Amino acid sequence: AQSVTQLGSHVSVSEGALVLLRCNYSSSVPPYLFWYVQYPNQGLQLLLKYTTGATLVKGINGFEAEFKKSETSFHLTKPSAHMSDAAEYFCAVRSMNRDDKIIFGKGTRLHILP
Amino acid sequence: SQTIHQWPATLVQPVGSPLSLECTVEGTSNPNLYWYRQAAGRGLQLLFYSVGIGQISSEVPQNLSASRPQDRQFILSSKKLLLSDSGFYLCAWTGSYNEQFFGPGTRLTVL
């Protein structure tokens, strides 16, 4: 069965500093992996996705993530944090059942310090 | 392009009252549709999903129900709300790579 673990329910970084949000997955087959962002009182927005091909995936708002099969990781990074990046971030993996479900991590709330 | 709508945006209901939340999708046909709930400070909980008209699968037994009367319409209902039904309800549909696209959500407060 697939699963997703996000390390750290809260992460704080200073404005201009590197953002690193960690995600490890469990999947018995090559996974499809996703990162979503949620701003307060809004729905989730797809940041980026890995399906096949290049393991470094670029997304919106300057974020990127690298699929590392040997480490079963899909960490999200951004070189320089901006105040507008403060939000909750969810890592997710596609279910391999026929129901098209996605397995979400519990989320990491990113705080940006001035 | 595809668009997903949810209404109402916010709702305050007394305990024991009925509920009807609606979700509609535009720009796609025969989508897989999902209802999620986020309780305060908690992650996403999948409530129902549907692969077609009249086809509903329930993930969590509770006093909520879902229906899909039309291809692009998904409705979440309850006959009698509980305090524990308060939360943020999200509708979503599935894209080509199983990525899900979410609606703006409905904030439900049960008093």
Side-chain angles (χ1 to χ4, degrees), chain A:
Chain A
Q2 291 75 33
S3 65
V4 175
T5 302
Q6 292 184 240
L7 299 178
S9 57
H10 291 265
V11 170
S12 295
V13 301
S14 298
E15 190 174 18
L18 171 72
V19 175
L20 171 61
L21 303 183
R22 299 178 187 274
C23 172
N24 288 89
Y25 69 91
S26 171
S27 178
S28 58
V29 297
Y32 286 0
L33 295 160
F34 313 94
W35 274 101
Y36 288 84
V37 61
Q38 184 180 30
Y39 299 100
N41 292 312
Q42 294 186 26
L44 277 69
Q45 181 182 6
L46 182 65
L47 266 181
L48 49 81
K49 64 187 177 195
Y50 169 79
T51 55
T52 58
T55 56
L56 182 63
V57 181
K58 295 187 184 297
I60 61 173
N61 301 339
F63 284 93
E64 61 183 35
E66 187 171 11
F67 168 60
K68 292 187 176 181
K69 182 179 179 180
S70 61
E71 299 177 8
T72 62
S73 69
F74 191 57
H75 301 332
L76 182 70
T77 60
K78 181 175 180 178
S80 178
H82 192 273
M83 295 300 291
S84 61
D85 295 326
E88 187 150 24
Y89 293 80
F90 293 91
C91 182
V93 63
R94 180 188 70 168
S95 166
M96 297 311 299
N97 299 327
R98 296 176 62 184
D99 51 31
D100 286 350
K101 287 189 285 187
I102 288 183
I103 312 300
F104 285 91
K106 295 185 181 302
T108 297
R109 186 164 296 279
L110 176 64
H111 304 271
I112 309 298
L113 307 174

Side-chain angles (χ1 to χ4, degrees), chain B residues 32-44:
Chain B
N32 286 0
L33 296 173
Y34 306 81
W35 277 112
Y36 290 87
R37 177 171 62 199
Q38 279 184 300
R42 302 181 67 178
L44 288 162

Side-chain angles (χ1 to χ4, degrees), chain B residues 36-59:
Chain B
Y36 290 87
R37 177 171 62 199
Q38 279 184 300
R42 302 181 67 178
L44 288 162
Q45 179 185 33
L46 179 61
L47 301 175
F48 301 95
Y49 67 94
S50 171
V51 299
I53 295 174
Q55 301 179 63
I56 308 295
S57 296
S58 174
E59 289 291 300

